[in-house]
Amino acid sequence: MAHAHHKIDSNTVDFQVDPVVLELGQRFVDAGHELSLVGGPVRDLFLGRTSPDLDFTTDATPDQTVALIKKWADNFWEIGRAFGTIGMRKSGFQIEITTYRAEAYDPESRKPVVAFGTSLTDDLLRRDFTINAMALRLPSLELIDPFGGVRDLNAAVLATPASPEASFSDDPLRMMRAARFASQLGISVHDDVRLAMSQMAERINIISAERVREELVKLICGAHPRVGVDLLVDTGLAEFVLPEVSALRLESDEHHRHKDVYQHSLQVLEQAAALETDADGAVPAPDFVLRFAALMHDVGKPATRRFEPGGAVSFRHHDMVGSKLTAKRMKTLRFDNDTIKAVARLVELHMRFYGYGDAGWSDSAVRRYVADAGPLLDRLHRLTRSDVTTRNQRKAERLAFAYDDLEDRIAVLREQESLDAVRPDLDGARIMAILNLRPGPVVGRAYKFLLEERMEHGPLQPDDAEARLHAWWAEQPEAAPPVPEAAEPPADVELSPNEESK
């Protein structure tokens, strides 16, 4: 990070801000108000990054702000007005201007209690961290840094302007944000912050699942996700947010018969992130689905651990158990169904490759691997390769060689067959025409049979496929000729009373 490599001297920093920022500042000053660029955009100026989203703070009320910008902005909206925020767009920038606040959370509620303030310093005091509590007064570009944000950027440490207890009481989500910033910026947290996170971890329960999820996604997609996850686990926050990951810290037995599943999972997460490709590649970075599957891939191990006779440890079916646990946790965190299915499927499939190197696979098995992975195949390749953390160089090389071989086999079969969309050689309409069937479950069974044939034997000629379909159909109960019903007795035959009652 920029701050980790050279000292920042705020006296010599030449703040390059867009003319739009200066123009907006001048409008407020001319009307007798204060306006400052604040928070993330100011921090990013020190880190040499620019953002199209700009946050400002002012002593003007929301009404006064609207009056000043409504003719100047390209468009504006008042959706955050109750919190003192007016949003707008201007020259490609998304801008939010918020009236100085003295905000507190009701300890028992998720909703902030908003009180407008009159002082920039008081407004900065109630922000989450010192590195986000700096302001650039406009249009003079004077840096306002009452709580040592530049100092903490230089030290690469996260601290709070007020006491961490007061800050986290105001908004417990800030504890998640601490872990997120640790991941994004690769910085450590101040001892006081870490202690407050540990003592107040349970308070995260009053925050909505959606807000927790948003921070978690940013953390997992950060440049240093291992740092962020480790902070969640160390402080006990993960017990409430991702308890399955905390549970990976299996107590080590005295004979060290298995490696540390938790540290292994963090390493797999790091290795998976390193295998992502650039935006034009198969898995553009950062990829939440791949990274989260890497973190969660072994969460089924604690529930399936068995000590076998002879001292071995087994984790049978931990892939299936882990897949279910992962889906359940993601539902609790209100992830969308597509994301849940993708991550859970990768966890379920992460062991499928093992055994390939020893036994070798038939073409049929390779086809099934591709078909089961579907659109997740490129991620599954990366997850499986990442899941090798052994220090045994020969074993690592053998697994890598085997996976290279599997990918080569997939490439060869792709050349010969359209592997990405393995379908039966006859479609539903053709099946119905050949067997003279109407749409219904039987057609589905016939389709499934032909799909199995396609998996097992590769593409078939139409005549061959048709012959196999006929052979299959001959063995189905529906294909048997109907049994004739018992003939009615002739009308002139009288039934005896005994026969009538039968």
Side-chain angles (χ1 to χ4, degrees):
M1 299 311 304
H3 54 270
H5 298 301
H6 63 270
K7 292 290 181 193
I8 300 162
D9 181 352
S10 55
N11 297 316
T12 60
V13 172
D14 177 19
F15 293 114
Q16 298 293 319
V17 298
D18 195 274
V20 164
V21 172
L22 299 174
E23 193 184 325
L24 185 59
Q26 196 62 57
R27 286 185 82 82
F28 274 74
V29 168
D30 289 348
H33 294 295
E34 297 176 0
L35 185 77
S36 300
L37 186 66
V38 74
V42 179
R43 177 196 72 226
D44 287 347
L45 285 171
F46 284 107
L47 299 177
R49 307 190 306 200
T50 53
S51 166
D53 298 342
L54 299 174
D55 294 325
F56 296 86
T57 188
T58 181
D59 61 347
T61 64
D63 284 345
Q64 291 168 326
T65 295
V66 168
L68 281 167
I69 60 92
K70 92 168 146 193
K71 291 199 172 117
W72 176 81
D74 296 334
N75 62 325
F76 73 97
W77 52 92
E78 303 180 54
I79 195 165
R81 189 189 187 100
F83 298 99
T85 301
I86 304 297
M88 73 200 74
R89 246 187 248 300
K90 175 73 174 180
S91 306
F93 289 100
Q94 181 144 318
I95 291 169
E96 286 192 345
I97 302 177
T98 303
T99 304
Y100 293 156
R101 295 218 293 247
E103 176 188 278
Y105 269 67
D106 175 339
E108 300 313 314
S109 164
R110 301 175 180 187
K111 300 279 185 280
V113 180
V114 176
F116 295 141
T118 54
S119 150
L120 175 59
T121 303
D122 287 350
D123 181 86
L124 296 176
L125 177 66
R126 51 151 290 278
R127 291 179 180 265
D128 54 2
F129 302 106
T130 58
I131 62 171
N132 297 328
M134 299 183 283
L136 209 55
R137 210 184 275 283
L138 299 168
S140 65
L141 297 182
E142 176 197 356
L143 179 71
I144 310 296
D145 180 20
F147 306 107
V150 172
R151 173 201 67 214
D152 291 341
L153 266 182
N154 274 324
V157 69
L158 209 54
T160 50
S163 75
E165 291 79 11
S167 182
F168 298 156
S169 287
D170 267 2
D171 183 358
L173 187 68
R174 288 172 172 177
M175 296 186 286
M176 286 293 296
R177 284 167 66 81
R180 186 250 284 192
F181 283 122
S183 167
Q184 288 180 328
L185 303 175
I187 60 182
S188 59
V189 296
H190 194 281
D191 289 345
D192 290 352
V193 171
R194 184 180 286 269
L195 182 63
M197 287 171 73
S198 302
Q199 291 173 340
M200 300 175 71
E202 194 173 355
R203 300 268 299 133
I204 198 67
N205 285 336
I206 73 163
I207 301 297
S208 72
E210 289 81 358
R211 291 182 75 208
V212 170
R213 178 197 67 218
E214 290 307 309
E215 290 299 328
L216 181 64
V217 170
K218 289 174 184 171
L219 183 163
I220 296 294
C221 291
H224 310 273
R226 181 176 192 152
V227 176
V229 173
D230 217 16
L231 182 58
L232 288 183
V233 172
D234 274 358
T235 55
L237 261 177
E239 296 283 352
F240 304 100
V241 176
L242 276 181
E244 298 78 9
V245 173
S246 295
L248 291 172
R249 293 178 300 174
L250 296 168
E251 68 282 1
S252 288
D253 52 278
E254 68 277 16
H255 305 299
H256 297 291
R257 287 179 291 198
H258 63 275
K259 62 187 168 189
D260 185 327
V261 183
Y262 172 63
Q263 290 300 333
H264 162 75
S265 299
L266 292 185
Q267 193 176 338
V268 175
L269 167 61
E270 269 189 330
Q271 291 177 178
L275 288 180
E276 291 165 338
T277 49
D278 297 327
D280 59 344
V283 182
D287 187 80
F288 174 79
V289 168
L290 171 62
R291 291 181 180 206
F292 200 55
L295 176 64
M296 303 292 280
H297 77 284
D298 273 348
V299 295
K301 279 192 168 177
T304 58
R305 182 170 64 153
R306 299 286 177 273
F307 293 102
E308 306 289 349
V313 179
S314 71
F315 303 96
R316 284 194 191 90
H317 306 304
H318 78 271
D319 41 1
M320 302 300 293
V321 172
S323 177
K324 289 192 173 77
L325 287 172
T326 299
K328 193 173 174 192
R329 176 56 45 200
M330 292 179 75
K331 278 187 188 118
T332 302
L333 288 167
R334 304 278 198 279
F335 276 92
D336 64 279
N337 283 339
D338 287 348
T339 307
I340 294 173
K341 278 184 187 155
V343 175
R345 187 71 166 149
L346 284 173
V347 173
E348 181 188 335
L349 293 174
H350 83 271
M351 293 295 291
R352 184 71 67 86
F353 159 73
Y354 291 94
Y356 176 81
D358 303 329
W361 284 2
S362 62
D363 283 354
S364 157
V366 175
R367 283 187 203 102
R368 285 175 201 282
Y369 189 75
V370 173
D372 288 347
L376 297 169
L377 184 64
D378 285 310
R379 290 181 174 115
L380 182 58
H381 288 335
R382 285 159 175 78
L383 175 59
T384 306
R385 287 183 182 279
S386 304
D387 192 19
V388 179
T389 59
T390 178
R391 292 204 186 100
N392 181 331
Q393 196 61 34
R394 284 179 65 187
K395 185 179 177 188
E397 283 171 4
R398 192 178 79 243
L399 287 166
F401 178 79
Y403 209 89
D404 288 345
D405 186 57
L406 175 58
E407 286 206 51
D408 289 344
R409 293 271 306 282
I410 290 171
V412 169
L413 280 173
R414 265 205 176 116
E415 288 278 309
Q416 297 166 357
E417 317 169 12
S418 54
L419 259 200
D420 292 326
V422 174
R423 291 190 175 84
D425 298 280
L426 305 172
D427 65 14
R430 192 82 194 93
I431 292 169
M432 288 190 287
I434 292 167
L435 299 181
N436 194 21
L437 290 173
R438 290 185 175 170
V442 181
V443 181
R445 278 180 15 228
Y447 187 92
K448 196 170 173 188
F449 162 74
L450 286 173
L451 182 58
E452 284 294 318
E453 291 293 294
R454 170 75 174 77
M455 287 283 190
E456 202 60 44
H457 307 291
L460 302 171
Q461 292 301 318
D463 290 351
D464 192 6
E466 202 168 316
R468 290 178 191 227
L469 178 62
H470 277 300
W472 171 84
W473 178 238
E475 295 174 3
Q476 303 310 303
E478 292 87 350
V483 178
E485 290 183 24
E488 288 285 316
D492 57 346
V493 174
E494 279 191 31
L495 295 176
S496 70
N498 285 345
E499 285 177 312
E500 265 186 337
S501 64
K502 279 181 186 171

